[in-house]
Amino acid sequence: MYDLRWIRENPEAFDAGMAARGVAPQAADILSRDEKARANRTTLQEMQNRRNALSKQIGAAKSKGEDADHLIAEVGELKGALQSGEEIERELSQSLRETLSGLPNQPEADVPVGPDEEANIEVRRHGTPPVFDFKPKEHFEIGEALGLMDFEAASKLSGSRFVVLHGALARLERALSTFMLDIHSTEFGYSETSVPLLVREHTAFGTGNLPKFEEDLFKTTDGFYLIPTAEMVLTNLVRDGVLGEDELPLRFIAHTPCFRSEAGAAGRDTRGMLRQHQFYKVEMVSISHPDDSKNELDRMTGCAEAILQRLGIPYRAMLLSSGDMGFSAKRTYDLEGWMPGQDCYREISSCSNCGDFQARRMSARYKPKQGKGTNFVHTLNGSGLAVGRTLIAVMENYQLADGGFAIPEALQPYMGGMTRVV
RNA sequence: GGAGGGAUGGCAGAGCGGUAAUGCAACGGAUUGCUAAUCCGUCAACGUGUAACAGCGUUGCGGGGGUUCGAGUCCCCCUCCCUCCGCCA
């Protein structure tokens, strides 16, 4: 959500940012409507001022028992203009708000400009893809052969894009979640949080999922939205509030199921559990001082990388291009884990700095120690990590010639000492 | 599901037709061996204005509509929160 005054003062920069996002220039249209709204506001205020003054005189006259009819008549003449002025004010400001709430965040200056993932930049790479003396399988081949991953059963229950896990795989999913939560909460300072999975409209608006991306969400018959990520809840924890400057940063971690309609993804990644309507994710959220959000993003990305490193999953970090970033982000790093079965890197985490974009939508502020008033906080979110995809990466990277796979050392304590799944 | 109560500035909390008390917190200033205390002011948003302040003005009492010369106060609709009862993991 944008500050109109900022657009007024920086119309070129604003449109440049929109261009990077593949959005047509907006400033001229927005500013002309803004000007109209302000002109109307000014004349409206003059009329209101007049009405107030007359009403005061009427009150005074009546209390003295004098005749106020001519004053009342004069106010009566104002009435129609006053009402239409108020109506125009409402219409203009609402339509401006609607326009502004549908525009994506501005990319940071050094974010590569491009329409899609082709323009992303690899910023670093860690680990070496394992070499197999057999043709590496995809996770669903391994899982199904082991009898621990059942897409047919899931389809019977719920249709496509769901899975049923059994035995060691079900436990591995739980182990991964616990492992991640433990590290983030005990080593990295994220406060473990248990949150609602159903939210109201204003919550989804706050993070930028509404109004523009309603089709991506599941909605219940009584108006709740199922969260597509814990980002939505954790970020909104600070909505409508004013934090003390020394409370920042706030860091939250939560493990939740995530629900996505995948409306625009028909036909993509249909095999396996890479793209599901429901999956678990451990999500990090930081509420940061504006001066610190840049560093906080690096820190957060590092926390996600630490998980991949301890699990021994090779990965690369990508700085996303302006066209590939999410709606609310101004800078995003994707961590892509190596998937031997697909012979490529696939997204397994995404860490974004949203600046004050979401904070404005949520009215989340802090009070600076010096000076008066309040400022908007910065919000950041990152997967730490997507559990389902991490499960895939573990299975594929640790797969064995016999059709099973090994358990990474770091995970073994969480698996009751199990070292491999056969 | 039934019955009530409520939504006011960062927080607490009055006002029930005449144009937002008061307290706390915070900020600026004054005073003061230090701390504390005390006093004055500021303390929402927007418009206008300014180099930036100031100033001036309007709005603001959950949202929308109505009555009225005038609405936080009265009427209608909606949203959300809370309490009790019932049901239930």
Side-chain angles (χ1 to χ4, degrees):
Chain A
M1 183 69 104
Y2 287 96
D3 180 7
L4 264 174
R5 275 176 300 190
W6 184 82
I7 300 175
R8 242 176 255 155
E9 285 157 23
N10 306 277
E12 333 67 29
F14 176 75
D15 274 343
M18 286 302 123
R21 289 296 214 146
V23 175
Q26 303 284 323
D29 171 54
I30 289 173
L31 291 182
S32 87
R33 285 153 67 197
D34 173 47
E35 204 156 319
K36 215 181 285 176
R38 277 150 62 207
N40 178 67
R41 207 164 297 151
T42 302
T43 61
L44 175 63
Q45 288 182 359
E46 281 163 6
M47 288 189 287
Q48 288 169 327
N49 192 11
R50 181 75 189 136
R51 178 203 55 198
N52 292 347
L54 287 171
S55 292
K56 215 174 238 175
Q57 289 176 36
I58 292 166
K62 282 194 166 177
S63 71
K64 279 189 260 174
E66 293 169 7
D67 174 51
D69 286 355
H70 63 292
L71 293 171
I72 291 173
E74 192 178 344
V75 175
E77 282 166 31
L78 276 172
K79 198 160 186 178
L82 218 40
Q83 264 179 344
S84 76
E86 281 167 10
E87 197 172 322
I88 291 167
E89 158 68 18
R90 241 191 328 274
E91 277 166 13
L92 288 177
S93 58
Q94 191 192 332
S95 101
L96 266 172
R97 213 175 317 125
E98 273 166 18
T99 300
L100 292 176
S101 66
L103 296 172
N105 202 354
Q106 296 263 311
E108 275 184 5
D110 62 334
V111 163
V113 174
D116 53 33
E117 69 274 8
E118 294 299 314
N120 295 350
I121 293 175
E122 181 177 322
V123 291
R124 59 185 167 272
R125 198 176 273 234
H126 187 276
T128 324
V131 180
F132 299 94
D133 52 11
F134 56 92
K135 184 179 184 303
K137 299 191 187 75
E138 294 212 47
H139 68 282
F140 51 85
E141 299 176 280
I142 302 169
E144 285 179 325
L146 289 168
L148 302 177
M149 189 179 282
D150 194 340
F151 293 97
E152 263 180 55
S155 152
K156 249 188 251 175
L157 299 167
S158 310
S160 64
R161 294 202 190 282
F162 290 93
V163 70
V164 171
L165 301 180
H166 291 291
L169 276 186
R171 179 161 190 184
L172 181 58
E173 183 179 57
R174 174 162 59 92
L176 281 166
S177 303
T178 310
F179 170 70
M180 294 175 195
L181 280 173
D182 280 355
I183 290 177
H184 290 306
S185 61
T186 64
E187 295 184 34
F188 298 150
Y190 286 90
S191 166
E192 185 169 348
T193 310
S194 173
V195 297
L197 307 178
L198 297 171
V199 298
R200 295 205 179 272
E201 184 183 358
H202 63 265
T203 305
F205 178 88
T207 37
N209 300 79
L210 289 181
K212 216 179 163 191
F213 305 99
E214 173 154 31
E215 60 175 28
D216 295 336
L217 304 174
F218 288 112
K219 189 177 188 179
T220 70
T221 51
D222 42 9
F224 287 105
Y225 292 93
L226 279 73
I227 60 167
T229 160
E231 168 203 347
M232 208 184 243
V233 231
L234 294 177
T235 304
N236 274 282
L237 286 175
V238 295
R239 88 171 359 260
D240 287 328
V242 180
L243 297 160
E245 189 170 18
D246 48 15
E247 289 179 78
L248 301 174
L250 293 174
R251 299 192 177 106
F252 303 108
I253 189 93
H255 167 246
T256 68
C258 302
F259 303 95
R260 301 190 179 179
S261 74
E262 296 296 345
R268 284 181 62 194
D269 304 315
T270 48
R271 295 220 56 186
M273 50 182 291
L274 196 71
R275 189 176 300 276
Q276 307 259 280
H277 286 308
Q278 175 192 328
F279 60 95
Y280 288 98
K281 184 156 58 68
V282 171
E283 180 78 1
M284 305 172 277
V285 160
S286 293
I287 310 300
S288 144
H289 190 287
D291 296 345
D292 300 332
S293 67
K294 250 181 136 61
N295 289 334
E296 186 68 18
L297 178 62
D298 290 338
R299 182 189 190 278
M300 176 179 276
T301 309
C303 294
E305 287 180 61
I307 302 292
L308 287 165
Q309 289 168 16
R310 294 193 201 190
L311 292 174
I313 298 169
Y315 68 90
R316 59 178 190 177
M318 309 292 290
L319 174 60
L320 294 197
S321 76
S322 55
D324 201 24
M325 281 195 302
F327 181 76
S328 300
K330 57 191 274 194
R331 184 188 198 82
T332 298
Y333 292 106
D334 269 13
L335 301 178
E336 300 180 345
W338 178 250
M339 306 282 180
Q342 288 194 7
D343 197 37
C344 65
Y345 288 96
R346 294 299 304 252
E347 177 188 340
I348 211 162
S349 170
S350 188
C351 301
S352 301
N353 181 4
C354 297
D356 65 5
F357 188 81
Q358 296 177 322
R360 287 179 181 282
R361 290 175 159 250
M362 298 187 298
S363 186
R365 294 154 291 160
Y366 73 94
K367 193 166 176 47
K369 291 199 142 159
Q370 304 293 328
K372 56 176 181 179
T374 54
N375 298 327
F376 291 106
V377 297
H378 281 195
T379 60
L380 302 93
N381 63 83
S383 359
L385 312 160
V387 176
R389 290 188 176 185
T390 308
L391 181 94
I392 294 174
V394 167
M395 291 174 71
E396 293 194 5
N397 281 284
Y398 286 86
Q399 61 183 289
L400 302 165
D402 65 6
F405 64 94
I407 304 288
E409 211 174 307
L411 235 36
Q412 289 172 10
Y414 292 89
M415 292 294 286
M418 193 184 293
T419 57
R420 50 191 292 180
V421 177
V422 288

